[in-house]
């Protein structure tokens, strides 16, 4: 799984017949503990996974190495409700010294999330 190193969630979307996986992705081999990027992947069979979209990335302007060390957007969970995806994460953002020291729980609504699933674009 492309999101399988850290906690991730897989849910089945009956409308598209796809499985949706959301979790942390690594953008560099230099930081195996990286948790400052959350992405969505899709699969028809739970074997072959395809990147759909990056949902969250550290919005700070700090250098990437410092962001990977200090910021975490982690432990995602989500539900599908109609055309929207409701996502919650535990986050270490702002004045933190270590990515795992969470100081926020954040929720997001991804409107019309199916537009990111290959084969569902208009």
């Amino acid at each position: 799984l492309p999101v399988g190193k850290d906690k991730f969630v897989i849910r089945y979307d009956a409308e598209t017949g796809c499985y949706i996986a959301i979790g942390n992705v690594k953008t560099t081999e230099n930081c195996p503990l990286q948790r400052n990027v959350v992405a969505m992947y899709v699969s028809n069979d739970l074997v072959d996974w395809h990147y759909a979209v990056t949902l969250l990335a550290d919005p700070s302007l700090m250098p990437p190495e410092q962001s990977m060390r200090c910021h975490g957007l982690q432990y995602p969970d989500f539900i599908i409700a109609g055309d929207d995806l409701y996502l919650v994460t535990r986050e270490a953002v702002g004045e933190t010294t270590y990515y795992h020291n969470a100081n926020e729980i954040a929720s997001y609504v991804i409107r019309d999330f199916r537009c990111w699933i290959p084969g569902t674009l208009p």
Side-chain angles (χ1 to χ4, degrees), residues 13 15 78-87 108-114:
D13 178 31
E15 186 165 318
F78 73 95
I79 61 169
I80 297 168
D83 293 330
D84 301 330
L85 186 145
Y86 291 81
L87 173 66
Y108 303 90
V109 179
I110 314 303
R111 303 264 181 229
D112 300 317
F113 79 97
R114 290 183 187 92

Side-chain angles (χ1 to χ4, degrees), residues 36-94:
N36 65 344
V37 178
V38 175
M40 180 173 86
Y41 285 79
V42 297
S43 174
N44 291 321
D45 58 9
L46 294 172
V47 175
D48 296 312
W49 290 92
H50 306 281
Y51 170 81
V53 64
T54 296
L55 297 172
L56 302 173
D58 178 18
S60 74
L61 298 177
M62 65 177 49
E65 297 81 15
Q66 184 180 358
S67 170
M68 288 179 220
R69 184 176 57 254
C70 295
H71 290 173
L73 310 168
Q74 53 205 347
Y75 305 122
D77 205 341
F78 73 95
I79 61 169
I80 297 168
D83 293 330
D84 301 330
L85 186 145
Y86 291 81
L87 173 66
V88 65
T89 57
R90 183 183 120 171
E91 300 185 359
V93 294

